[in-house]
Amino acid sequence: MEIKGIIFDLDGVICSTDEYHYQAWKKMADHDGIYFDRKINERLRGVSRAASLEIILEKADKQYSDEEKLALMTKKNDLYKELLSAMTEADVSKEVLDTLKELRAKGLKLAIGSSSQNTKLILSRIGLLDFFDGISDGTIISQSKPNPEVFIKAAGILQLKNENCFVVEDAEAGIDAAVAGGFHSIGIGSASSYEKAEHKINSFREIINLV
Ligand code: G6P
Ligand code: MG
């Protein structure tokens, strides 16, 4: 296996915006009297906004129209963006930053592969908008993880074959997407004990040992 590039998920891998997603969904759900907890939240990792809402609405005791669903998604995204607006460069750990720079120095191409439509906003808040060689995100895909489209597009931007790339993911859906696309996978955080992850790591720095 020759690794020439690494595609990173954003939320829960590069920064802790996975927690902000939870808080925003939780506030939206509480407001509408829909039961939602951290266990259900685990199923939302890597999943698009619309698909996430469908999972949350499994616990709702009424049917929501398309207009109402749109309003709920808008409300959640507004709450989420309020949390994002407080982010700064301090929201990327030194470990993540140093590791990214070391991987770059080793000659690896680095990309983001995230289902989020807020990817560029987040990258700009944390000072990494111009760092990556490619950004594949929720604004250019039609199918979200576990479909591999976002990673296939990232590899395309890097001009690398899927089999020459690592995908780093905290979501089981993201690992499934990596496997489906023929990528090598690294599970971290919530995906660090997922059996389908080819490599499992407990800290970001361990990526260095795998390349
Ligand atoms: C990421 C997160 C998901 C989120 C999705 C869409 O994949 O892990 O929890 O639902 O992005 O994010 P967005 O910012 O477009 O609502
Ligand atoms: Mg994630």
Side-chain angles (χ1 to χ4, degrees):
M1 134 179 129
E2 198 193 349
I3 296 299
K4 298 178 179 173
I6 308 184
I7 303 165
F8 299 90
D9 171 52
L10 180 65
D11 303 321
V13 172
I14 297 294
C15 53
S16 303
T17 35
D18 52 330
E19 175 62 23
Y20 295 161
H21 276 295
Y22 168 73
Q23 288 177 16
W25 282 127
K26 177 72 180 149
K27 215 167 180 177
M28 181 217 78
D30 284 354
H31 184 267
D32 263 60
I34 304 163
Y35 180 79
F36 181 61
D37 63 17
R38 287 191 181 269
K39 186 155 179 274
I40 299 169
N41 185 60
E42 284 302 311
R43 292 172 58 204
L44 312 186
R45 287 185 190 274
V47 172
S48 71
R49 199 180 305 165
S52 295
L53 180 64
E54 293 300 335
I55 292 170
I56 291 169
L57 292 183
E58 287 171 12
K59 293 279 183 209
D61 36 39
K62 64 164 246 188
Q63 284 292 110
Y64 284 80
S65 69
D66 287 350
E67 288 76 30
E68 287 171 320
K69 286 180 186 175
L70 205 61
L72 288 179
M73 283 192 279
T74 303
K75 183 194 249 163
K76 183 268 176 176
N77 198 47
D78 288 347
L79 291 165
Y80 180 58
K81 280 167 90 168
E82 219 174 285
L83 295 168
L84 296 183
S85 70
M87 287 183 89
T88 67
E89 293 183 11
D91 286 291
V92 191
S93 71
K94 186 171 182 321
E95 179 188 357
V96 167
L97 205 55
D98 288 351
T99 305
L100 287 173
K101 287 178 183 165
E102 245 177 88
L103 293 167
R104 156 79 39 82
K106 278 176 178 268
L108 288 149
K109 287 191 181 176
L110 310 177
I112 291 290
S114 166
S115 308
S116 175
Q117 297 181 44
N118 291 299
T119 295
K120 288 190 176 164
L121 169 65
I122 295 167
L123 288 174
S124 90
R125 294 232 53 102
I126 61 177
L128 289 178
L129 187 58
D130 298 321
F131 179 84
F132 293 92
D133 303 299
I135 297 172
S136 175
D137 67 14
T139 64
I140 62 165
I141 55 168
S142 51
Q143 288 160 294
S144 99
K145 302 164 187 176
N147 187 289
E149 185 183 4
V150 74
F151 298 139
I152 291 169
K153 289 214 160 123
I157 296 167
L158 297 181
Q159 296 186 294
L160 294 176
K161 288 185 184 158
N162 302 359
E163 72 220 47
N164 294 128
C165 296
F166 264 141
V167 161
V168 186
E169 262 292 350
D170 71 316
E172 294 191 359
I175 296 291
D176 289 344
V179 172
F183 294 87
H184 294 282
S185 65
I186 302 177
I188 190 169
S190 285
S192 65
S193 51
Y194 187 39
E195 70 273 9
K196 289 193 191 155
E198 190 180 328
H199 301 276
K200 301 168 182 69
I201 59 174
N202 293 310
S203 70
F204 197 86
R205 180 139 194 90
E206 290 172 54
I207 298 170
I208 298 279
N209 306 331
L210 300 173
V211 292

